[in-house]
Amino acid sequence: MISDTIITPLYSVEKDTAIDFLAGKYDDLKRGTDFWKLRTSFWWEKNPYFNNKMPIGWAIKSVEGTIQGFIGCVFTAMAFGQNHLCAVNLTCWHVEDGYRNKSLELFVAANSYENGDIFFNTTPTESVEKILKGFRYTKYIPSGIELYTNLLPLNIGSFNVFVNKPAINRFLSPFLSLASYANSFLFLKLFSNKKYHIEFGLPEDLNKLDQLWEKSKPDSLVTNLRDALYYQWLSSGKFANKYTILRINENATTIATVVFEKISIAGNNILECIDFWQDVTTDAEKSLTLNKCMIGFLVRNRMKFQNVAFLSFPDYCGSIPKQVFSMRKFRSRNNKYCLALAPEVREAIKSNNIYFTMQGDMNL
């Protein structure tokens, strides 16, 4: 009977039970248990901002102890001035038929986590959006500006013009390959500056990343905590192969870090910039040179991304879109919500004094 159910936090010792629920009842794509083991390992076991005293989520349990509903938590760290904030990214909210009248109670339980400072829900359905507004969640744009995505061609030869018509794509392939070479030649001319030394991955001396963060962390901006642990996390495990990290160096000092995620849209692979962080002392002219160097570096290394058709730069990723050639701008739907508990953090969000990349479950 539904009256015999309980809503309870789940901890790491029950991770396998949660994975079975996600793989068996939540996942419409039927990606299987191995996929969810890999993904939740990244969320919890490899996450430097998580420990076994924190819940992995909340569950509706029947009297027999089986899970009939679940909402997961992925913890990240944020900064506001000198204060660190515990961010709770809610994900995988699903309740089985017959237990739906417990859905809101489950949501309330997750939002009542006593050590959470700010809660995120970035992939809501339209019905969930109404609930979030009812709970006084704030709709936000990652940097307080309108969301647009800027596409730059990288390997046009791998562009699928007609997703479900491979024969036509094969016919067009030679012409696209020719266009790809021409595009690369043009971009190598436009972005030939090599003033800054750019590298893939993490430095041997991780202190360089901590030094960049300590030098660049803002006093009044609500943003991710970008210490060395953050970048180590993104580089950990097989699931993290989806991320490409660039370091931009001036002499022996790291002055910027960039994170890309490989995504697929309409059958095309896209390398999307999801985080851009630079030394706050970087002026506009230096930033322009830095960005051009970065794009030139990616074009010169395009064979590393042979099946990637485009680079994608949302408007909130640094100053890149305003400064370089853009093939096409696409307006992006914004349905990102957060709930900050501290009044001063709420005020900063209301004032758009934010830079919320890598929050929510979109990129995790």
Side-chain angles (χ1 to χ4, degrees):
M1 295 176 60
I2 293 179
S3 59
D4 294 327
T5 58
I6 60 169
I7 292 179
T8 180
L10 293 185
Y11 293 92
S12 295
V13 293
E14 296 183 88
K15 187 184 82 166
D16 289 343
T17 305
I19 289 173
D20 288 342
F21 179 83
L22 291 171
K25 296 183 178 179
Y26 169 76
D27 191 359
D28 292 335
L29 298 178
K30 303 299 180 186
R31 287 168 287 190
T33 301
D34 288 344
F35 170 86
W36 287 102
K37 282 183 177 178
L38 198 61
R39 190 170 200 179
T40 56
S41 173
F42 182 70
W43 286 354
W44 303 320
E45 293 169 359
K46 298 183 182 299
N47 185 345
Y49 309 112
F50 174 81
N51 62 62
N52 290 335
K53 294 181 180 179
M54 294 173 164
I56 62 174
W58 273 257
I60 301 171
K61 284 187 176 182
S62 67
V63 67
E64 295 85 9
T66 59
I67 296 179
Q68 300 296 336
F70 178 76
I71 185 168
C73 299
V74 184
F75 292 93
T76 53
M78 301 191 72
F80 181 57
Q82 298 303 310
N83 299 317
H84 287 184
L85 306 175
C86 174
V88 184
N89 298 278
L90 301 178
T91 187
C92 301
W93 183 12
H94 176 76
V95 177
E96 287 289 276
D97 292 339
Y99 296 83
R100 294 290 172 86
N101 65 340
K102 293 286 185 178
S103 290
L104 280 181
E105 194 175 339
L106 178 67
F107 182 75
V108 169
N111 279 272
S112 301
Y113 177 59
E114 59 185 4
N115 294 321
D117 296 306
I118 184 167
F119 296 80
F120 286 90
N121 192 314
T122 57
T123 52
T125 61
E126 290 185 8
S127 58
V128 171
E129 282 193 73
K130 295 177 182 178
I131 295 172
L132 295 176
K133 292 173 183 177
F135 279 84
R136 302 185 69 181
Y137 268 66
T138 300
K139 194 172 189 177
Y140 71 88
I141 298 174
S143 66
I145 59 176
E146 195 62 68
L147 268 181
Y148 285 90
T149 295
N150 306 261
L151 290 181
L152 290 161
L154 184 62
N155 293 302
I156 301 176
S158 61
F159 177 44
N160 290 318
V161 182
F162 299 95
V163 178
N164 297 317
K165 297 181 179 178
I168 297 179
N169 284 321
R170 284 195 298 271
F171 172 77
L172 292 174
S173 179
F175 302 100
L176 291 173
S177 296
L178 183 62
S180 185
Y181 283 117
N183 174 77
S184 298
F185 178 78
L186 172 63
F187 271 24
L188 287 174
K189 289 289 185 182
L190 288 173
F191 308 123
S192 59
N193 195 311
K194 299 180 182 179
K195 180 177 181 180
Y196 301 107
H197 179 58
I198 303 177
E199 297 176 285
F200 289 109
L202 305 184
E204 290 185 11
D205 182 7
L206 294 174
N207 287 327
K208 289 184 177 181
L209 299 175
D210 287 329
Q211 289 166 4
L212 172 62
W213 171 247
E214 289 300 321
K215 185 176 182 180
S216 61
K217 64 182 180 183
D219 292 330
S220 57
L221 191 72
V222 184
T223 191
N224 302 60
L225 179 68
R226 292 178 180 81
D227 56 5
L229 287 175
Y230 170 75
Y231 294 104
Q232 280 184 295
W233 180 33
L234 297 183
S235 302
S236 65
K238 291 183 179 179
F239 194 78
N241 287 341
K242 62 189 288 193
Y243 300 114
T244 296
I245 298 175
L246 299 185
R247 288 178 293 110
I248 303 174
N249 305 296
E250 185 174 30
N251 300 320
T253 303
T254 298
I255 59 172
T257 55
V258 193
V259 181
F260 290 87
E261 180 187 18
K262 188 176 178 181
I263 62 175
S264 181
I265 298 177
N268 290 285
N269 290 321
I270 294 174
L271 199 64
E272 182 171 57
C273 182
I274 56 174
D275 193 28
F276 182 94
W277 192 254
Q278 63 183 356
D279 184 341
V280 290
T281 62
T282 304
D283 59 31
E285 183 177 353
K286 183 176 179 180
S287 181
L288 172 59
T289 303
L290 182 152
N291 291 326
K292 287 185 174 181
C293 285
M294 179 192 65
I295 292 176
F297 175 81
L298 289 170
V299 173
R300 288 192 297 275
N301 288 276
R302 64 191 177 280
M303 296 310 292
K304 181 180 174 70
F305 312 104
Q306 288 187 50
N307 61 344
V308 174
F310 294 98
L311 298 172
S312 171
F313 296 98
D315 274 357
Y316 56 79
C317 289
S319 49
I320 298 169
K322 298 175 183 176
Q323 297 174 334
V324 300
F325 168 75
S326 176
M327 179 181 177
R328 177 105 184 249
K329 269 195 166 189
F330 299 91
R331 187 165 184 169
S332 305
R333 179 175 179 263
N334 176 40
N335 61 342
K336 301 176 185 297
Y337 287 84
C338 69
L339 173 65
L341 301 185
E344 61 272 21
V345 179
R346 285 201 303 272
E347 186 57 36
I349 294 170
K350 185 179 178 181
S351 303
N352 289 328
N353 200 12
I354 57 178
Y355 187 48
F356 282 174
T357 64
M358 292 294 290
Q359 293 300 336
D361 63 353
M362 282 292 290
N363 304 107
L364 298 176

